[in-house]
Amino acid sequence: MSRPSKIVCIGLNYAKHAAEFGNPIPKEPLIFLKPPSSLVGPGEAIVIPKGVGQVDYEGEIGVRIGKRARHVTKERSWDFVDGLLAINDVTARDLQKADGQWSRAKGFDTFCPAGAVTPLAQVDRKALSVTTRVNGKVRQQMGADDMVFDIPAIIAHVSRIMTLEPGDLIATGTPSGVGPLSPGDVVEVEIGSVGSISNPVVAES
Ligand code: ZN
């Protein structure tokens, strides 16, 4: 996959995930960025840095932009998408809580595993779901109908703030059931009707 100009992420976009952290549901999509340097592909290791405390998986539906998008309406938003993919928004949870700002907690190298893109024409958009497994055990499982803001609403919102370029990725938020990763684990994010990504977890050497 060519490197995107940016990875836009949505926070607290599933009601049950907001509740598990005691947060209210946002009135508008809450956005943050992960750096392109955090990307890794299928089978590449997620490296847990030294001294960061707890590191969590966050399985998410990923969107790849196919056409430059600026001030896009919800109705036209899918025209600017070339496909969907599985993304793991790996997060250093203790740093996220300590910093308030999320760039450090979400921005380490290897903290954005991203799977192969399935062309939109091959995706059943009504069957989208997120399943995350750690060492084969299901930890997250939810349908996209539980999202607070759906994909068209997210694209419309983000494209009013920043121009989305071809290749840019959007991670659309994680359902409830987030939890920690440890060296030696294998974490898999599967997006229903799209595909999956699996990565081993290692400690920084
Ligand atoms: Zn996330």
Side-chain angles (χ1 to χ4, degrees):
M1 185 189 305
S2 61
R3 197 172 259 205
S5 79
K6 54 191 166 295
I7 305 160
V8 184
C9 305
I10 309 300
L12 306 174
N13 197 31
Y14 287 78
K16 289 184 188 115
H17 172 59
E20 74 183 343
F21 284 164
N23 287 308
I25 295 165
K27 292 192 172 63
E28 294 184 293
L30 171 63
I31 78 166
F32 60 95
L33 298 170
K34 283 170 96 79
S37 48
S38 64
L39 280 171
V40 288
E44 293 189 271
I46 296 165
V47 180
I48 298 186
K50 287 188 178 118
V52 302
Q54 184 172 323
V55 172
D56 285 4
Y57 55 83
E58 292 191 356
E60 308 200 3
I61 299 167
V63 175
R64 190 170 72 177
I65 296 298
K67 276 196 299 192
R68 177 174 277 197
R70 176 77 178 143
H71 289 291
V72 169
T73 62
K74 283 186 209 177
E75 292 69 29
R76 286 200 61 212
S77 64
W78 286 111
D79 297 345
F80 296 82
V81 174
D82 71 349
L84 301 184
L85 67 157
I87 288 181
N88 191 344
D89 172 23
V90 179
T91 302
R93 194 68 71 198
D94 295 337
L95 297 185
Q96 183 187 26
K97 288 174 183 160
D99 287 356
Q101 303 289 321
W102 299 355
S103 296
R104 177 166 70 142
K106 303 272 194 178
F108 285 97
D109 287 359
T110 77
F111 272 26
C112 193
V117 175
T118 298
L120 196 57
Q122 295 170 27
V123 173
D124 178 359
R125 286 185 234 157
K126 291 198 170 66
L128 293 173
S129 61
V130 179
T131 303
T132 305
R133 298 181 190 86
V134 179
N135 305 325
K137 263 193 158 175
V138 173
R139 301 293 187 186
Q140 295 185 286
Q141 188 155 53
M142 205 164 282
D145 48 4
D146 207 60
M147 293 167 90
V148 178
F149 300 101
D150 63 11
I151 291 170
I154 290 168
I155 292 170
H157 179 80
V158 174
S159 76
R160 284 196 295 271
I161 303 162
M162 57 190 80
T163 301
L164 292 165
E165 302 286 356
D168 281 357
L169 300 177
I170 303 175
T172 59
T174 200
S176 58
V178 298
L181 294 170
S182 303
D185 286 344
V186 174
V187 57
E188 181 193 20
V189 176
E190 181 181 351
I191 304 304
S193 122
V194 172
S196 64
I197 180 158
S198 175
N199 301 84
V201 180
V202 303
E204 186 180 38
S205 55

